């Protein structure tokens, strides 16, 4: 989510986006992973960067980008970047090829660069206090937005408008110091939001053009959709129910429900005996047996299990880090989707469903009771980080 905010800022302002250097991502490269873990015996450390997941080539058609390594090489003299913060790696592949000593040196330089950036950006007054819980970007200026549009109170909430002013336009660089100054609060220094709620445009046409750019060019790797298409073709596009059930590393334990409760919550919207694809990090094989008693349940291992998966011949081609993304794409093609409350993973699936024109793009969750006649169209505040505003896809042809 924050990455989309940074892409948006670069796209609107026409500035070059500096891609952060590779590092270990929580629940991808480290942390208590119940899914997407390395194969037994593979104890190599790994790192990731945005290109691990996003189609950077297509993104580059809309936003100028440069690696942090290249940025430091080009600008260290002009900016005064210290020598102990210059020796960076550029890609996860370089990390994988480096010896332990080189990896350690890179880690030290990366940490030193973060510390220097935080200090230098504050000195130059270019650390953007645009935390999405407390601010909304008015484009192109605050005055032009106020002269043409009045934001809905539920969308603006208590957020204050910010703008790309003349001072910022003159600066060599701008910095988003995510989570560095307020322990993770979104009020000032964290940029966690559904990106469609980050900007208020003075002109409706500019908003539509932005949403179109976001759909067409800021997307996951093509291979993710190609692999997911094998599963979708097998069970039939829009011919199954899709369910995302988070059961482990989510910090919001209120979202954890028993299978019996989940089935009770969604039953009114199900058809007798239909196929249900369940994307989950639940490890107990019999956990969803209550579903299997009435429905045809299929999961990741039915298709990509190493021993008996229908497409087991493809397993070695699949990057373990992409399993979650592939399941997002599979869930986007169900006739209806039930997500997990307080899950941004579920939120992105709903946006994908809007993009592919799924027959039902309503907001439904297995963690809450769903009436048969509920359209799934609540009026949520613009600061809600777990749900997209439907206009991000509804405005597009």
């Amino acid at each position: 989510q924050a990455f989309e905010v940074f892409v948006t800022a670069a796209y609107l302002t026409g500035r070059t986006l500096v891609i952060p250097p590779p590092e270990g991502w929580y629940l991808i490269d480290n942390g208590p992973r119940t899914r997407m873990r390395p194969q037994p015996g593979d104890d190599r450390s790994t790192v990731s960067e945005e290109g691990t997941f996003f189609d950077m080539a297509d993104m580059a058609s809309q936003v100028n980008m440069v690696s942090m390594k290249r940025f430091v090489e080009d600008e260290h003299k002009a900016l005064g970047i210290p020598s102990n913060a210059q020796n960076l790696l550029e890609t996860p592949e370089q990390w994988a090829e480096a010896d332990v000593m080189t990896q350690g040196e890179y880690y030290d330089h990366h940490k030193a660069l973060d510390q220097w950036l935080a200090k230098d950006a504050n000195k130059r007054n270019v650390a953007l206090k645009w935390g999405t819980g407390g601010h909304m970007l008015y484009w192109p200026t605050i005055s032009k937005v106020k002269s043409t549009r009045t934001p809905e109170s539920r969308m603006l909430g208590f957020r204050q408008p910010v703008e790309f002013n003349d001072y910022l336009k003159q600066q060599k660089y701008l910095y988003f110091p995510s989570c560095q100054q307020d322990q993770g609060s979104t009020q000032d220094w964290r940029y966690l939001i559904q990106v469609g709620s980050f900007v208020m445009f003075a002109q409706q046409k500019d908003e539509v053009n932005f949403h179109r750019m976001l759909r067409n060019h800021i997307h996951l790797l093509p291979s993710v959709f190609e692999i997911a298409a094998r599963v979708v073709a097998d069970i039939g596009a829009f011919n199954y129910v899709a369910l995302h059930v988070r059961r482990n590393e989510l910090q919001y334990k209120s979202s954890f429900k028993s299978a019996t409760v989940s089935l009770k919550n969604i039953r009114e919207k199900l058809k007798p005996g239909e196929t249900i694809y369940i994307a989950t990090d639940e490890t107990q094989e019999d956990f969803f047996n209550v579903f299997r008693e009435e429905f045809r349940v299929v999961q990741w291992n039915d298709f990509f299990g190493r021993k008996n998966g229908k497409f087991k011949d493809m397993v070695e081609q699949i990057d373990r880090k992409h399993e979650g993304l592939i399941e997002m794409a599979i869930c986007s093609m169900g006739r209806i989707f039930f997500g997990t409350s307080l899950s941004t993973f579920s939120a992105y699936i709903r946006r994908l469903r809007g993009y592919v024109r799924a027959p039902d793009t309503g907001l439904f969750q297995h963690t809450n009771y769903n009436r048969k006649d509920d359209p799934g169209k609540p009026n949520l505040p613009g600061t809600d980080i777990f749900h997209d505003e439907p206009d991000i896809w509804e405005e597009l042809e």
Side-chain angles (χ1 to χ4, degrees), residues 46-114:
T46 62
V47 294
S48 300
E49 47 98 25
E50 282 68 20
T52 306
F53 312 102
F54 286 93
D55 185 344
M56 304 301 277
D58 198 0
M59 196 181 304
S61 70
Q62 304 296 309
V63 178
N64 292 323
M65 294 185 289
V66 66
S67 69
M68 181 64 82
K69 177 179 175 63
R70 178 66 182 274
F71 173 77
V72 170
E73 289 174 347
D74 290 348
E75 304 294 342
H76 70 275
K77 291 183 179 179
L79 294 176
I81 300 175
S83 59
N84 71 335
Q86 295 180 23
N87 192 7
L88 301 178
L89 299 177
E90 194 165 28
T91 66
E93 290 75 21
Q94 291 177 350
W95 170 274
E97 295 170 358
D99 57 35
V100 175
M101 184 175 294
T102 301
Q103 290 177 348
E105 181 180 337
Y106 164 68
Y107 176 84
D108 291 340
H109 279 245
H110 187 182
K111 183 177 180 180
L113 179 63
D114 284 344

Side-chain angles (χ1 to χ4, degrees), residues 5 15 29 36 44 48 54 71 101 107 123 181 193 195 201 254 277 293 296 306 310 314 345 365 369:
V5 169
R15 296 176 75 99
D29 299 293
M36 300 185 291
R44 295 171 297 176
S48 300
F54 286 93
F71 173 77
M101 184 175 294
Y107 176 84
K123 181 178 67 177
Q181 300 192 37
I193 199 170
V195 69
F201 291 88
S254 62
Y277 184 93
E293 291 172 1
R296 179 195 175 212
R306 288 182 174 271
K310 190 165 188 176
M314 297 181 62
F345 185 95
Q365 298 170 334
Y369 187 75

Side-chain angles (χ1 to χ4, degrees), residues 18 63 80 84 93 149 218 223 229 235 250 317:
V18 180
V63 178
N84 71 335
E93 290 75 21
R149 303 182 73 178
I218 315 303
S223 59
I235 53 181
L250 188 67
Q317 306 170 31

